[in-house]
Amino acid sequence: RRELTSERFVDRPGLGRVYATGDVVRVHPLGYVEFGGRADSQVKIRGHRIEMGEIEAVIDLHPAVSQSVVVARGDGEQLLAAFVTAKSGEPVSSTELRRHVANALPGAMVPSFFTVLDALPLTPNGKIDRQRLPTDLDSLVVSTAGSAEAAPTDAYELLVSDAWTRELGRTAGRDENFFDIGGHSLLAVKVFRNLADSTGLPLALTDVFRYPTIRSFAAYVGSLGAGTDGDGNQPSVTSAAVAGADRAARRRRAREN
């Protein structure tokens, strides 16, 4: 099969005839080869084709990061998850890493999850074993608000949390930013429709962007349910709609459990 032979056995300046494995590497001036990732690890996220190696290269530039690997997670909507190991004595937070990547890459290439591991799992050949990386989305992100404050505290927060969980496919802390943990404009539309239909309140799509945390969005929904919005307007709705939706959310969760 000559076409496959010519595709895989290629000439490289300074190396001669080599076998193209599909790995992205860099040949050091001293002669050794630095492995940088796979050439075929592209994934499609919200219509964008993304090369994991590009994201990993940016993460590795962070002074506190020793090594990183980025994979796609999720059964339906694919989300990017980054796993990193930190240099000895160099603390690093997911918020700091997210900001670091966002300053260098488009939004679609910023991982939704950053998890710091003691060590990355390796194959017998010494390469990163992506199959052994954590797969449970709920285990990948710990709310910066702390476990005691992560859960909803009232009916309004429970209502918003339920809508978020349904679309994101994972639970979220009450102070986590919707767009930092996998949310995007398409999911924002679904959350908006969900809450607008279930409450009967005069919500707007822009409210999801104005109040991107469970705490802030629930407070806004509460102000509408109580008869006034943040600008002092008086919508013709009451909190009864919110209470009814809250009971429905509790029943749905009970059935799922």
Side-chain angles (χ1 to χ4, degrees):
R1 304 181 64 179
R2 295 184 178 180
E3 70 283 357
L4 291 180
T5 299
S6 61
E7 176 183 311
R8 287 300 179 180
F9 291 87
V10 296
D11 293 323
R12 288 285 184 265
L15 296 177
R17 193 169 177 80
V18 300
Y19 174 66
T21 65
D23 299 328
V24 177
V25 301
R26 177 173 59 186
V27 181
H28 193 273
L30 295 180
Y32 60 81
V33 176
E34 295 178 339
F35 175 73
R38 291 289 299 176
D40 57 356
S41 63
Q42 286 189 356
V43 295
K44 201 168 186 178
I45 303 293
R46 304 198 296 276
H48 300 275
R49 287 204 169 275
I50 293 173
E51 177 61 61
M52 304 299 198
E54 294 184 37
I55 306 174
E56 294 165 355
V58 171
I59 297 176
D60 289 345
L61 290 176
H62 192 282
V65 172
S66 175
Q67 191 175 15
S68 69
V69 59
V70 179
V71 296
R73 286 288 182 261
D75 296 328
E77 181 75 26
Q78 292 282 288
L79 302 174
L80 294 176
F83 298 90
V84 305
T85 56
K87 294 179 180 177
S88 178
E90 295 283 347
V92 60
S93 68
S94 60
T95 301
E96 182 180 349
L97 289 174
R98 181 176 290 111
R99 186 181 304 113
H100 169 74
V101 177
N103 287 336
L105 296 174
M109 298 181 71
V110 179
S112 300
F113 309 100
F114 288 85
T115 303
V116 180
L117 301 176
D118 294 332
L120 296 174
L122 301 178
T123 67
N125 294 328
K127 295 183 179 181
I128 296 175
D129 190 344
R130 296 170 182 263
Q131 301 300 319
R132 291 169 52 200
L133 291 167
T135 58
D136 182 14
L137 296 183
D138 277 333
S139 70
L140 300 186
V141 174
V142 177
S143 173
T144 55
S147 58
E149 299 179 347
T153 60
D154 57 33
Y156 294 112
E157 289 189 4
L158 179 61
L159 178 67
V160 177
S161 175
D162 184 68
W164 280 32
T165 299
R166 191 180 312 173
E167 302 306 336
L168 290 173
R170 61 171 292 263
T171 56
R174 59 202 296 255
D175 288 314
E176 287 186 305
N177 189 299
F178 178 80
F179 299 99
D180 285 345
I181 58 174
H184 50 80
S185 57
L186 297 180
L187 289 185
V189 172
K190 293 182 179 180
V191 167
F192 156 67
R193 289 176 177 171
N194 181 314
L195 292 174
D197 292 343
S198 63
T199 64
L201 294 168
L203 298 172
L205 174 58
T206 53
D207 294 335
V208 183
F209 296 86
R210 291 169 59 199
Y211 308 105
T213 67
I214 291 175
R215 185 203 295 262
S216 61
F217 199 100
Y220 177 67
V221 171
S223 70
L224 292 179
T228 178
D229 64 13
D231 298 323
N233 298 321
Q234 300 288 328
S236 57
V237 294
T238 68
S239 59
V242 178
D246 173 50
R247 288 193 297 272
R250 289 179 182 273
R251 287 196 298 270
R252 182 168 56 256
R253 287 190 174 186
R255 288 195 299 270
E256 291 174 353
N257 289 335

